[in-house]
């Protein structure tokens, strides 16, 4: 897992510092599969309605792809639909693998990403951009935060 995080820093995230091993160990082992698939998607082009490495991703397509590839779970296709799966998590309790939701279109739960630890999340941001890592505590994302959800293979509601 640490190798994947280091690879992320090398490939696409020059400003990203991988979390210390202690922060990795706080993630449930079941989150490792989705995180590996998520980090593999870094740099993929944004495409509205996209849901594959080959054709590109939108935000919810990225998350749906990650869970389908890692656990065989078919999540709802929209960010709003994904916001109703799993268990709610407070921002201060985020661990790698948790989904983070934002209001980016004057509509609650209109954007989703996955928390990767160390105050950062991965998402497919917008047309013309690529899947990337950003900080959850910037003023832009902090002002638009709608909540977070935790899914795990044994307890996810799907």
């Amino acid at each position: 897992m640490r190798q994947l995080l280091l690879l992320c820093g090398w490939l696409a995230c020059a400003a990203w510092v991988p979390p210390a091993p202690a922060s990795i160990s706080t993630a449930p082992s079941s989150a490792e599969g989705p995180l590996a698939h998520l980090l593999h998607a870094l740099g993929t082009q944004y495409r509205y309605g996209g849901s594959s490495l080959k054709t590109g991703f939108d935000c919810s397509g990225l998350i749906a792809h990650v869970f389908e590839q890692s656990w065989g779970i078919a999540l709802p296709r929209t960010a709003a639909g994904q916001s109703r799966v799993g268990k709610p998590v407070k921002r201060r309790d985020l661990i790698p693998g948790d989904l983070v939701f934002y209001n980016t279109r004057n509509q609650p739960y209109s954007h989703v990403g996955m928390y990767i630890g160390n105050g950062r999340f991965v998402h497919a941001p917008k047309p013309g951009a690529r899947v990337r890592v950003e900080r959850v505590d910037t003023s832009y994302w902090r002002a638009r935060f709608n909540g977070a959800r935790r899914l795990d293979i044994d307890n996810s509601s799907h």
Side-chain angles (χ1 to χ4, degrees), residues 9 14 36 38 58 88 96 104 108 110-111 117 119 134 138 141 147 150 155:
L38 182 77
D58 64 11
T104 58
S110 54
H111 189 69
E134 293 203 51
T138 65
W141 293 114
R150 182 166 301 149
N155 299 316

Side-chain angles (χ1 to χ4, degrees), residues 6 18 26 50 65 81 89 91 95 104 111 115 120 134 150:
L6 291 171
T26 62
H65 170 82
V89 178
R91 189 178 355 201
I95 61 172
T104 58
H111 189 69
Y115 186 73
R120 290 166 165 66
E134 293 203 51
R150 182 166 301 149

Side-chain angles (χ1 to χ4, degrees), residues 83 87-95 98-116 119-121 134-150:
S83 74
K87 299 179 203 174
V89 178
K90 294 185 186 304
R91 189 178 355 201
R92 70 174 180 264
D93 297 329
L94 288 171
I95 61 172
D98 288 344
L99 301 183
V100 287
F101 296 92
Y102 299 93
N103 178 342
T104 58
R105 297 181 181 163
N106 291 322
Q107 182 178 0
Y109 306 103
S110 54
H111 189 69
V112 61
M114 184 181 288
Y115 186 73
I116 60 171
R120 290 166 165 66
F121 74 106
E134 293 203 51
R135 296 199 54 81
V136 296
D137 60 359
T138 65
S139 59
Y140 180 87
W141 293 114
R142 195 173 46 246
R144 289 162 177 80
F145 184 76
N146 282 140
R149 305 291 284 191
R150 182 166 301 149

